[in-house]
Amino acid sequence: MVIPAARSPGFGFEEGLVHAIHLAWIGNHRTAAECSTGGDGLFWAGELFQPSEIILYPDESLGIS
């Protein structure tokens, strides 16, 4: 298992910040770390469904907002 993590400049044993992400999902998934042109960082994670693994009809959703 790989856990993406990012650290602040100057991070050391007694100072600095570390941010990490973990997705509690047993199936296929995606995780990513991105940096905007303005310098803002973003972590994201989510399920990765395979074709025909889940079927949604036109009026249905996964309930994710």
Side-chain angles (χ1 to χ4, degrees), residues 6-53:
R7 63 179 178 85
S8 63
F11 167 77
F13 183 71
E14 294 182 355
E15 62 185 64
L17 295 173
V18 174
H19 299 278
I21 189 171
H22 168 71
L23 178 65
W25 179 257
I26 196 166
N28 294 327
H29 62 278
R30 289 184 180 176
T31 57
E34 301 176 1
C35 185
S36 72
T37 55
D40 296 323
L42 173 70
F43 276 142
W44 64 264
E47 304 92 344
L48 179 59
F49 296 111
Q50 298 300 311
S52 75
E53 186 174 11

